[in-house]
Amino acid sequence: MDKRYQVFISSTYADLKEERRRVIETVLDADCIPAGMELFPAADEEQFDYIKRVIDDCDYYLLIIGGRYGSVTAEGVSFTEQEYNYALSRNLKVIALLHENPDDISWGKSEQNPNLREKLQQFRDNVAAGRLVKYWRTAADLPGLVSTSLSKTIRMFPAVGWVRANRAANEIGRAHV
């Protein structure tokens, strides 16, 4: 059966637009379905409730960490970290791509608040603890890392995925013949 996997792409947004664009293109090239904030509608619903529903429909979670911690919730946790924690609670396989050296990121794309810089470092340390992560330096590094990591993760940890309804119906029909 021709199966496609849905991949939730999580990161801060304003500082990683180019990186996200390249990752989304790579996910599409891998015949997977990208899901991320670019695709969210303007809905009359609590933002994180909607994000959780989207993550629930995904097969894999791809995290990109650059130089910003991001917008924080009322609890003081960034939306990106909240998404990551939720994906872990759902037992999604995580592909984590961390910037190799956040100190090299331009000031305009870096966390300037010292408290948020500390939270970013703690988040990075947490993500890297007990899991293989890949490191990137430029947006151009990401397509290769995503392609290799995604194909390996799909091969090692096949997920439910999505099948076109007409193909699923044909497969079910053949199974009952």
Side-chain angles (χ1 to χ4, degrees):
M1 222 180 298
D2 189 18
K3 196 185 288 194
R4 294 193 182 219
Y5 297 103
Q6 188 161 315
V7 180
F8 190 89
I9 300 166
S10 180
S11 74
T12 53
Y13 183 72
D15 59 319
L16 295 175
K17 285 182 184 176
E18 174 65 14
E19 290 82 353
R20 290 183 66 83
R21 183 188 64 75
R22 288 177 181 246
V23 168
I24 288 169
E25 288 173 358
T26 304
V27 168
L28 286 167
D29 286 344
D31 287 329
C32 291
I33 305 162
M37 63 185 69
E38 297 87 350
L39 310 170
F40 294 170
D44 188 19
E45 180 176 1
E46 205 281 318
Q47 184 178 3
F48 195 64
D49 287 339
Y50 182 81
I51 291 168
K52 288 191 301 189
R53 286 201 347 244
V54 174
I55 291 172
D56 288 344
D57 285 341
C58 288
D59 299 292
Y60 302 101
Y61 178 88
L62 194 150
L63 174 64
I64 309 163
I65 298 180
R68 289 204 175 138
Y69 184 60
S71 303
V72 295
T73 65
E75 295 80 27
V77 177
S78 74
F79 279 101
T80 306
E81 186 168 4
Q82 194 175 34
E83 291 166 357
Y84 170 76
N85 291 333
Y86 185 74
L88 288 180
S89 78
R90 302 295 296 166
N91 294 316
L92 287 181
K93 291 300 174 192
V94 172
I95 298 167
L97 308 171
L98 281 63
H99 193 279
E100 188 173 274
N101 189 352
D103 292 337
D104 289 347
I105 298 173
S106 70
W107 180 249
K109 291 186 172 192
S110 294
E111 198 57 72
Q112 297 170 16
N113 177 316
N115 294 334
L116 295 180
R117 283 182 76 85
E118 185 176 321
K119 284 184 176 242
L120 173 62
Q121 187 58 53
Q122 290 170 353
F123 182 36
R124 287 174 55 89
D125 293 345
N126 182 35
V127 169
R131 117 172 342 94
L132 291 176
V133 298
K134 297 289 183 181
Y135 294 94
W136 60 279
R137 293 186 67 73
T138 69
D141 297 337
L142 289 168
L145 292 172
V146 169
S147 182
T148 303
S149 299
L150 185 58
S151 66
K152 183 179 256 182
T153 302
I154 290 170
R155 200 171 47 256
M156 291 176 61
F157 306 101
V160 174
W162 297 92
V163 178
R164 290 182 59 89
N166 64 334
R167 290 189 182 150
N170 289 342
E171 290 293 323
I172 291 169
R174 278 188 232 139
H176 292 300
V177 174

